Amino acid sequence: MSNNLLRSFLGAVSSGILLTLCFPSILYPGYNLFQSLLIWIALVPLFWAIDHKSPIGSFLIGLLSGFLWFMGLLYWVADFSHGINSLYISNWLLLSLYSALFVGLFGFLANFLINSGWSDILVLPTVWVLWEFLRSMFTFGHPWGFLAHTLHNRLFLLPPATTTGLFGLSYLIVIVNALVFKGVKRIFLGPNHPPTLSEYLNLRPVYSFNKPFLLSLNLILALLIGLSYSGKASPAPVSRHKIKVAVIQGNRDTQQEWDEDYKTQTLSTFLKLTDSALAENPELVIWPESAFPGILTSHEDYLRAEMVFDYVQKNRINLILPSDEREYQKDRARYYNTIFYITHSGELSRYRKIRLVPFGEYVPRLFSLTHDKAIQQPFSEDYEFGRELTLFNINGVVFNCLICYEDATENLYRKFIKKGSQFVIVSANDSWGGRTALAYQRNAMTVFLAVQCRRYVIRANMRGITSIIGPSGKVINSLVPFQEDFLTAEIEPLEGLTFFAKYGHLFGWMITVLVLCMLVLSLWVRQRRESVSTNWKEELPPGPYGCSQF
């Protein structure tokens, strides 16, 4: 193996391992302060590996590094805690490969632009943020493993998320990695030599744009960060009235067979824990996803549903109750992943999940003939998509609920906030991930929901982590995973819109436009250079042997 190939391999593997260590992962499933420190240098080996490589070579290096990283990050998809399952293992490998493609594309595009004459200090952070931004969008978006997630417990670094979203923080992380890489390169290879005259003439159209592009981008970023720290983007409390909530963590394993005995035990567990929580007089009781053992609106589970309604009426509580829902339309049963809100007066309202998990809760039509769902359901049909942005009301305070994977879809969350939601409940069931890093990863991601729109976020999780997160991103209270327990806290309703709530991922779109401009300009310069070179050679007189003098 040549030294050049060995350097590329070691750089890709090193960054893959370092990035894995920066997150709760297979190497360390929990949180530690070392993670948020390591992220500032984790990309340096990858940058070293793709330096002076071809775009295709950089793509392969990025693909290898990303595959190792996401295998360690997403190992919970394989669900080894419930034995070896070939379907789950194939899903793990395919999802890791799909996510790694974006790291490979980062290497390809970054290398192409740098070789076209753009500054690596400009290219590396913008191209990385571009692929993170694109990876978060569309039906097959997978918003996992963003670099900003590693900063969830560094509260003093989180305010920029109120203006730039996650991607402003990711940009800062990558630009620091790029500066460290430049410093290391200078130490080992000496100062950069200026381009030769011919190189300068070829790249001059691109070189002239480096400084204005870089200065403009960083000036806008500095203004957005300054706005976030000024406090002008933070909403004010609605009133001095606070809402006392109780969140129940039932710790039931929903992966095992749900026979009648187990359903009865599950409902009894939640009622018993709720009895204990009522001693603290909460105004709102919150159960996690899959808490109701059955389909609330079905005839088969009528007795259990009646038991819950009677309990609510007897104790005069307001209850958030997630459950599957069945509805018949034109002689066809339709199923929804639903959150029911039962008030102490007996009123019932519902929110149906809008953002479903591809291949988990439904199979996209393109694949419907060849693929089965990766997550088991109590019925064979796909879930239907919800359509309405339902807001709930308690004593004049408006709030909304998100179900599981929806907490990773910030655009949906923003719609609720813009509609008037004053605090947010996330109902989740991560028990199918077993005793892995999944719950820790999800909780870290939820921190940014609270920060970006400055709202209290209540995360109710079947087996944990159950937590209450303040608008600054501070975890106010949480429960130890895999224990039956409950927590109570007072929630302060907030109103008003942050910059992010109003404009969304404006920074991400700005980065996209900037990279497209850089790409178009690079292609234009290359085409023009090749055209001039061809014409110049054709006009040269032939050499002594019938060939061009050059």
Side-chain angles (χ1 to χ4, degrees), residues 83-144:
I84 303 298
N85 185 303
S86 59
L87 175 62
Y88 291 164
I89 292 176
S90 63
N91 289 336
W92 169 44
L93 297 177
L94 287 173
L95 186 57
S96 298
L97 181 61
Y98 170 74
S99 302
L101 282 174
F102 290 90
V103 186
L105 290 170
F106 157 77
F108 179 92
L109 184 55
N111 187 284
F112 175 82
L113 292 175
I114 291 172
N115 289 342
S116 297
W118 295 101
S119 167
D120 44 8
I121 299 298
L122 173 63
V123 168
L124 294 173
T126 53
V127 174
W128 185 279
V129 168
L130 169 69
W131 291 119
E132 274 199 354
F133 179 52
L134 294 180
R135 185 158 63 86
S136 71
M137 301 175 66
F138 312 117
T139 300
F140 297 109
H142 187 243
W144 231 268

Side-chain angles (χ1 to χ4, degrees), residues 461-538:
N461 205 331
M462 172 62 83
R463 306 190 76 179
I465 299 173
T466 294
S467 61
I468 295 178
I469 303 168
S472 68
K474 181 180 180 180
V475 178
I476 297 172
N477 200 354
S478 64
L479 297 177
V480 176
F482 304 104
Q483 291 185 7
E484 293 181 11
D485 205 349
F486 70 91
L487 62 79
T488 59
E490 289 189 330
I491 301 302
E492 187 173 29
L494 299 172
E495 63 181 4
L497 300 177
T498 63
F499 185 93
F500 177 83
K502 291 178 182 178
Y503 305 109
H505 286 300
L506 182 63
F507 183 75
W509 286 111
M510 184 177 67
I511 290 290
T512 302
V513 171
L514 177 62
V515 174
L516 285 175
C517 290
M518 293 162 61
L519 181 60
V520 169
L521 186 58
S522 299
L523 292 172
W524 176 77
V525 168
R526 286 190 175 219
Q527 188 274 334
R528 185 177 180 185
R529 188 169 61 214
E530 291 173 0
S531 176
V532 170
S533 176
T534 301
N535 294 335
W536 177 56
K537 289 182 179 180
E538 289 176 352

Side-chain angles (χ1 to χ4, degrees), residues 278-320:
L278 291 181
E280 300 189 29
N281 299 316
E283 297 174 67
L284 179 64
V285 178
I286 303 166
W287 288 7
E289 187 182 19
S290 304
F292 183 79
I295 300 174
L296 188 70
T297 54
S298 69
H299 296 294
E300 306 92 281
D301 296 299
Y302 171 78
L303 292 178
R304 274 184 283 270
E306 192 71 18
M307 185 183 302
V308 173
F309 278 92
D310 289 344
Y311 183 87
V312 170
Q313 296 294 308
K314 176 183 175 182
N315 293 281
R316 297 195 58 78
I317 61 173
N318 302 296
L319 177 65
I320 291 293

